[in-house]
Amino acid sequence: VIGQWSLILCAKTATKRIRKITDKVGHSVFCLGTFIYKGLNEQDSLNKVFQEFIDKNVDSRNYIGNYCLIFWDGHEITFLLDPQYSYHVFQYSGNSSISSSFLALIASDDKKKTINRFALLEKLATGCLVSPDTLVQEIKQLHSSNAFEFSRNSGVKVSTESSISIPAEMHKEGIT
């Protein structure tokens, strides 16, 4: 549990474990996806980014991969996504859930979902969808076009900036 949110690991993941570091004060960094920092191995990369987080000096210019890093400072959650948003994160408005699994969100409750007709037509016509739309109106994919709205509505900060200050603060132009 991080704040009012629960981080749930779905059984479909290959390692069936969450890569995380937590200190005695309650600061945490969770790593989802493939994350490499300056050519270091997985654990050393996570150790290094955790130290940057503690020092409030996160600089992602040397981060490589398809990843989502989740920072918890004891008060705020900050998502740091790879700059291309290639690691998919979805938000479901029906129960305020966040997941990397679209199907897990569909199955997260018994509420009926509304088919997004335009998205369905786009998928049938082109074979793909442009974010943030999904086939279900209540579920949106986190993307640069909706990161500010997502942050405002969920209380979770989102960034793909090369350098962020933890906790990330919102301003009139978006998120820093």
Side-chain angles (χ1 to χ4, degrees):
V1 175
I2 47 178
Q4 64 183 16
W5 299 90
S6 293
L7 187 59
I8 300 170
L9 179 64
C10 295
K12 73 173 190 165
T13 57
T15 61
K16 297 195 182 204
R17 65 185 175 91
I18 297 174
R19 291 168 294 167
K20 71 174 184 173
I21 297 177
T22 302
D23 66 11
K24 293 178 182 177
V25 180
H27 299 107
S28 300
V29 174
F30 302 86
C31 179
L32 307 169
T34 303
F35 173 69
I36 300 169
Y37 182 60
K38 292 188 177 181
L40 299 172
N41 67 35
E42 177 183 303
Q43 190 59 48
D44 290 344
S45 292
L46 198 54
N47 288 337
K48 182 71 174 164
V49 77
F50 185 71
Q51 189 58 51
E52 288 181 355
F53 167 59
I54 297 300
D55 296 341
K56 297 188 184 301
N57 188 28
V58 175
D59 184 357
S60 64
R61 289 176 287 201
N62 292 307
Y63 296 178
I64 299 170
N66 175 6
Y67 58 85
C68 174
L69 297 174
I70 303 170
F71 298 94
W72 170 247
D73 70 355
H75 305 287
E76 286 188 310
I77 300 171
T78 301
F79 280 45
L80 178 63
L81 300 169
D82 60 271
Q84 292 77 30
Y85 285 87
S86 55
Y87 191 86
H88 293 171
V89 176
F90 300 93
Q91 192 264 337
Y92 172 44
S93 61
N95 62 11
S96 301
S97 296
I98 301 169
S99 178
S100 61
S101 172
F102 176 74
L103 293 177
L105 289 180
I106 287 178
S108 66
D109 63 26
D110 293 334
K111 295 178 185 174
K112 288 194 177 211
K113 288 28 167 216
T114 310
I115 295 292
N116 182 339
R117 294 176 138 192
F118 290 114
L120 179 59
L121 291 172
E122 180 180 355
K123 180 76 170 170
L124 292 172
T126 66
C128 61
L129 283 176
V130 176
S131 295
D133 288 337
T134 69
L135 294 174
V136 175
Q137 286 186 7
E138 295 84 1
I139 299 175
K140 297 291 182 200
Q141 182 178 342
L142 187 56
H143 191 266
S144 61
S145 64
N146 69 347
F148 180 75
E149 178 184 346
F150 174 84
S151 292
R152 184 170 31 91
N153 293 339
S154 68
V156 175
K157 311 301 183 207
V158 180
S159 181
T160 58
E161 300 294 322
S162 62
S163 180
I164 62 173
S165 172
I166 303 297
E169 295 180 11
M170 294 171 30
H171 58 83
K172 65 181 180 181
E173 285 86 34
I175 300 168
T176 59

